[in-house]
Amino acid sequence: MSTTHVATDAQLDQLCINTIRTLSIDAVQQAKSGHPGTPMALAPLVYTLWNRVMRFDPQDAIWPNRDRFVLSNGHASMLLWSVLHLTGTRAVSADYEKLGQPSVTLDDIRRFRQLDSKAPGHPEYHWVSGVETTSGPLGQGVATSVGMAIAQKWLASRYNRPGFDIFDYDLYAVCGDGCLMEGVASEAASLAGHLGLDNLCWIYDNNHITIEGSTRLAFTEDVAARFLGYGWHVLRVGDANDIDRIVHALEVFRQTKARPTFIILDSHIGYGSPHKQDTAEAHGEPLGDEEVRLTKRFYGWPEDARFLVPPGVYEHFAAGVGARGAATRRRWTELYDAYRARYPELANEIHLMQGRELPAKWDANLPAFPADPKGIAGRDASGRVLNVLAQNIPWFLGGSADLGPSNRTTLTYEGAGDFEAESPSGKNLHFGIREHAMAATVNGLALSKLRAFGATFFIFSDYARSAIRLSAVMELPTIFVFTHDAMGDGEDGPTHQPVEHLASLRAIPGLVTLRPGDANEVVEAYRYVMQLRHAPAAIVLSRQPLPTLDRKKYASASGLARGAYVLGDAPGGEPEVIVIASGSEVSLAVEAHEQLLADGIRSRVVSMPSWDIFEHQTQAYREGVLPRSVTARVAVEQASTLGWERYVGTSGRVIGMHTFGASAPLKELQRKFGFQPDRVVAAAREQLGR
């Protein structure tokens, strides 16, 4: 290569880097909001990753063996919008049909942070093709990347064969000081180090600045020592503008085995801004017109040009990531075609998984539970179902935050195995006591098209809630299994008795919250949830045995698929009073219903395992279950009463929790807080004035 050609390449590199910088500056300035400083600092890194290193084809942003890029410090989203635009990344529909139109147009960038722009304020999965995850609050992106890395290891273990490396991609996550201060990143980093995820590289933007000022205010730990302690390979690049050193560090990552890699990248926030470089002002506000001109002058850029993409920039990306990505995908496609001819059953699994489909007869042998007044705990019924699903669906896996024996989520069938560094084919994931990282990891697994579940006690859903919310934002078919749903572990006291948690999860748009009332409703809950393709679910289960209802006498548990259904009715189906319950209180409501009928009061009992599903039924169906003409209503649930007024009306009665619980055996707690059949009967009579 001639000296002139090398110089030309170097000039094109710098031209592309400054294009990313100035697009970011202009977008933030026009929006009058945003974060210009980090894109100005990290443009060389993102340019280098995309145009020199990553195996990514802009013409097919979802081909299965692409490298993944996660921008965990998502406020720097203009980095991503710039590179998606400049690489010509094409959009893909939610149904995985390539549309061919640009993922992010220059007009989207001009309308940065505006309604319907494909350049929103933070990376949004499902909204912009090329975004691998909604990074959300700081720390979530890097934690989610751990799930992606686990998924790659599992996929490779199951599907790769000698000469057929169908899954061998890498994960790159960019993070900042804020991500590393958040606890979820620490949880995830610890797990990744334990598992030796050598396909995972975090790149830390070490700029010493947060919103309040210098990191000296609150963050002075030795980050390198911390990650060495986690078992990571730690590298340092002392100048974020040195793309050759960046390339070298990334090559070292790809050669490192048995450890994830952590690259400390020393940078200057707001690089090139004469008055705002290395200041908090460069973080979260526009530079201002005069500072923009001065900064562009520093870059050698036309000072009054806005949203400029100079000649040669698109072509340089096309010759880099465009050509390399297309060739890499073409070789993979040829390899996969040969693989499909040789291993058709495995290839069919991959096809189904990529489309979020289920294999034939996935639910053929789910258990059916006979009527039993003593019954079975919701968690025990769940455990039996999980073990069937995991055998029927090869890519179904999950685990618990150190509570597998208590949650009954351990897969015990022969061959299930534990996922560990030396056994990546195992289906039992051990997250340790890391609820938040567990939920984020489950999101990463789902983003990789695996069907994954994570489990803990319901009270600890607080620790995982942010990641659960992101699962709903991204419309991922994740499954969160929560046991010890009410007062069943009574002696542990109020700290372990979830009161407000059902209301909290029900408030998350798009999250299907299910609280089944007996073992057969548990089965139907999983049957419903497994068919979801674009919605997460929380299944909330009892610790204590619940009577298994006689379905010859009461309605089929398949009614769960409607969210609420008439379990037992008055003669002629014309009730005077309706008793509604979920979960462990359903059997209590049934006892009260039978007593009311015996007393000559026409009662209807309704099982309502899911408000969300019920609200999506037709008005006619909802009216059939809860007719407006029947205003005498009693709802029973061992949880906050918040929200039940929508079903009992302003004059109805809710027997629920208005305080925290107490430490005592379950029966004493039920008596203290009114969860007894005679109290329900009394409330119903009161409604009727009897």
Side-chain angles (χ1 to χ4, degrees):
M1 185 180 292
S2 69
T3 304
T4 303
H5 187 64
V6 169
T8 301
D9 279 352
Q11 289 170 352
L12 280 171
D13 289 341
Q14 195 60 51
L15 191 67
C16 292
I17 289 166
N18 286 339
T19 301
I20 294 171
R21 285 170 167 153
T22 55
L23 285 177
S24 301
I25 291 170
D26 289 341
V28 172
Q29 193 68 21
Q30 179 141 311
K32 297 182 174 60
S33 73
H35 303 74
T38 301
M40 294 162 70
L42 295 186
L45 167 69
V46 170
Y47 165 77
T48 304
L49 255 176
W50 284 71
N51 211 37
R52 289 198 179 187
V53 175
M54 279 176 50
R55 294 168 291 178
F56 178 86
D57 183 4
Q59 298 301 312
D60 187 350
I62 61 168
W63 71 284
N65 201 43
R66 68 193 180 280
D67 287 344
R68 269 70 163 174
F69 173 80
V70 173
L71 188 65
S72 190
N73 44 349
H75 53 268
S77 60
M78 270 309 307
L79 279 169
L80 192 48
W81 309 145
S82 297
V83 78
L84 287 175
H85 171 67
L86 296 173
T87 58
T89 297
R90 316 312 285 179
V92 181
S93 70
D95 293 326
Y96 314 104
E97 177 186 346
K98 288 179 282 295
L99 302 180
Q101 64 197 42
S103 172
V104 178
T105 66
L106 197 56
D107 188 53
D108 287 319
I109 291 174
R110 290 190 182 99
R111 296 186 299 108
F112 175 54
R113 287 179 162 239
Q114 307 308 302
L115 188 64
D116 294 331
S117 169
K118 296 296 184 180
H122 284 73
E124 300 289 352
Y125 175 79
H126 236 307
W127 176 244
V128 188
S129 297
V131 175
E132 299 290 357
T133 181
T134 299
S135 42
L138 293 176
Q140 289 284 338
V142 284
T144 303
S145 75
V146 173
M148 295 176 175
I150 290 172
Q152 187 277 325
K153 291 291 186 182
W154 189 89
L155 289 166
S157 179
R158 177 166 180 84
Y159 295 108
N160 288 2
R161 293 294 184 270
F164 292 95
D165 288 338
I166 301 301
F167 294 104
D168 68 345
Y169 55 88
D170 293 318
L171 296 302
Y172 299 93
V174 177
C175 59
D177 293 297
C179 292
L180 296 190
M181 284 189 245
E182 292 287 359
V184 65
S186 301
E187 293 179 22
S190 175
L191 180 60
H194 163 73
L195 293 173
L197 299 175
D198 53 20
N199 55 353
L200 179 64
C201 180
W202 289 6
I203 305 158
Y204 165 40
D205 176 27
N206 182 34
N207 62 32
H208 305 289
I209 294 293
T210 62
I211 290 175
E212 292 187 357
S214 169
T215 51
R216 289 193 302 270
L217 290 168
F219 189 58
T220 53
E221 67 189 44
D222 187 336
V223 174
R226 169 179 157 195
F227 274 78
L228 286 170
Y230 288 146
W232 289 56
H233 185 206
V234 177
L235 304 171
R236 189 168 209 127
V237 175
D239 180 4
N241 290 306
D242 190 336
I243 62 177
D244 290 333
R245 289 187 64 188
I246 291 171
V247 168
H248 175 70
L250 295 172
E251 288 175 349
V252 173
F253 151 63
R254 295 191 66 177
Q255 295 167 9
T256 299
K257 301 303 178 186
R259 288 184 293 171
T261 294
F262 184 75
I263 300 174
I264 301 173
L265 183 70
D266 295 332
S267 72
H268 295 281
I269 194 168
Y271 175 78
S273 171
H275 302 107
K276 295 189 176 181
Q277 179 175 313
D278 295 328
T279 69
E281 287 76 18
H283 171 78
E285 60 189 48
L287 296 179
D289 291 335
E290 181 59 24
E291 193 71 10
V292 168
R293 280 191 289 271
L294 293 173
T295 303
K296 289 181 178 178
R297 183 184 304 171
F298 175 84
Y299 296 150
W301 207 258
E303 294 178 23
D304 294 321
R306 299 174 70 246
F307 301 101
L308 172 65
V309 181
V313 170
Y314 292 123
E315 292 81 2
H316 194 55
F317 275 104
V321 64
R324 188 181 67 255
T328 303
R329 179 172 65 91
R330 184 171 56 253
R331 287 193 298 271
W332 182 87
T333 302
E334 292 170 356
L335 182 71
Y336 181 72
D337 288 343
Y339 176 86
R340 184 169 50 197
R342 187 164 178 180
Y343 304 105
E345 292 184 3
L346 292 176
N348 184 57
E349 287 184 15
I350 294 172
H351 173 74
L352 291 172
M353 179 174 35
Q354 291 299 314
R356 298 200 190 282
E357 303 288 348
L358 295 168
K361 299 181 180 179
W362 64 272
D363 63 345
N365 53 341
L366 289 176
F369 294 90
D372 182 357
K374 292 183 178 179
I376 180 175
R379 61 175 178 169
D380 290 322
S382 168
R384 289 179 56 180
V385 175
L386 287 172
N387 271 275
V388 171
L389 292 174
Q391 292 178 77
N392 290 351
I393 306 169
W395 53 94
F396 181 82
L397 74 170
S400 171
D402 196 55
L403 290 171
S406 296
N407 297 146
R408 305 292 198 264
T409 49
T410 304
L411 303 176
T412 56
Y413 65 89
E414 185 177 354
D418 296 325
F419 183 96
E420 289 287 349
E422 64 278 4
S423 57
S425 62
K427 284 198 172 189
N428 283 298
L429 301 178
H430 299 279
F431 296 104
I433 307 167
R434 306 180 181 101
E435 293 86 0
H436 198 174
M438 174 186 71
T441 298
V442 168
N443 287 347
L445 293 165
L447 286 162
S448 308
K449 305 298 176 65
L450 300 179
R451 289 307 300 268
F453 66 89
T456 186
F457 290 170
F458 194 26
I459 192 75
F460 303 142
S461 63
D462 281 341
Y463 284 176
R465 191 178 188 280
S466 183
I468 295 169
R469 180 180 184 272
L470 278 186
S471 198
V473 169
M474 291 189 278
E475 301 178 2
L476 298 178
T478 49
I479 302 171
F480 300 100
V481 180
F482 297 118
T483 68
H484 299 58
D485 68 333
M487 295 183 183
D489 56 343
E491 292 87 346
D492 279 334
T495 61
H496 280 57
Q497 293 163 4
V499 172
E500 72 278 23
H501 298 70
L502 278 168
S504 175
L505 292 190
R506 286 167 176 161
I508 298 177
L511 175 67
V512 178
T513 303
L514 283 151
R515 189 171 181 243
D518 76 347
N520 288 308
E521 280 198 3
V522 171
V523 175
E524 295 306 318
Y526 278 105
R527 195 189 308 275
Y528 181 89
V529 164
M530 291 307 302
Q531 297 176 77
L532 297 174
R533 296 179 66 212
H534 299 293
I539 301 179
V540 184
L541 303 164
S542 73
R543 171 184 184 265
Q544 74 278 15
L546 305 179
T548 304
L549 298 175
D550 183 351
R551 296 295 172 166
K552 294 179 181 178
K553 181 177 181 181
Y554 300 104
S556 167
S558 62
L560 174 138
R562 309 294 291 271
Y565 62 105
V566 177
L567 190 57
D569 214 352
E574 297 179 0
E576 298 174 273
V577 63
I578 302 175
V579 181
I580 316 167
S582 79
S584 52
E585 288 71 67
V586 169
S587 57
L588 167 63
V590 166
E591 288 186 57
H593 163 73
E594 296 291 351
Q595 182 60 54
L596 289 166
L597 290 178
D599 293 345
I601 296 173
R602 296 194 307 279
S603 167
R604 168 177 291 181
V605 61
V606 170
S607 175
M608 185 175 277
S610 176
W611 294 10
D612 178 79
I613 299 173
F614 185 63
E615 291 298 327
H616 283 85
Q617 303 306 306
T618 64
Q619 176 62 40
Y621 178 80
R622 285 181 284 144
E623 173 68 17
V625 175
L626 300 175
R628 280 169 289 185
S629 59
V630 183
T631 58
R633 301 181 183 185
V634 180
V636 194
E637 189 173 66
Q638 285 185 32
S640 168
T641 61
L642 182 68
W644 272 109
E645 61 274 3
R646 72 167 62 182
Y647 299 119
V648 300
T650 56
S651 60
R653 174 78 183 278
V654 183
I655 299 175
M657 295 299 294
H658 300 276
T659 66
F660 292 109
S663 178
L666 176 59
K667 288 186 178 180
E668 293 182 26
L669 293 172
Q670 289 172 325
R671 182 165 54 250
K672 174 180 174 61
F673 292 107
F675 297 104
Q676 294 179 302
D678 61 334
R679 300 285 285 275
V680 179
V681 169
R685 286 181 169 278
E686 182 182 318
Q687 290 286 298
L688 295 168
R690 299 186 191 177

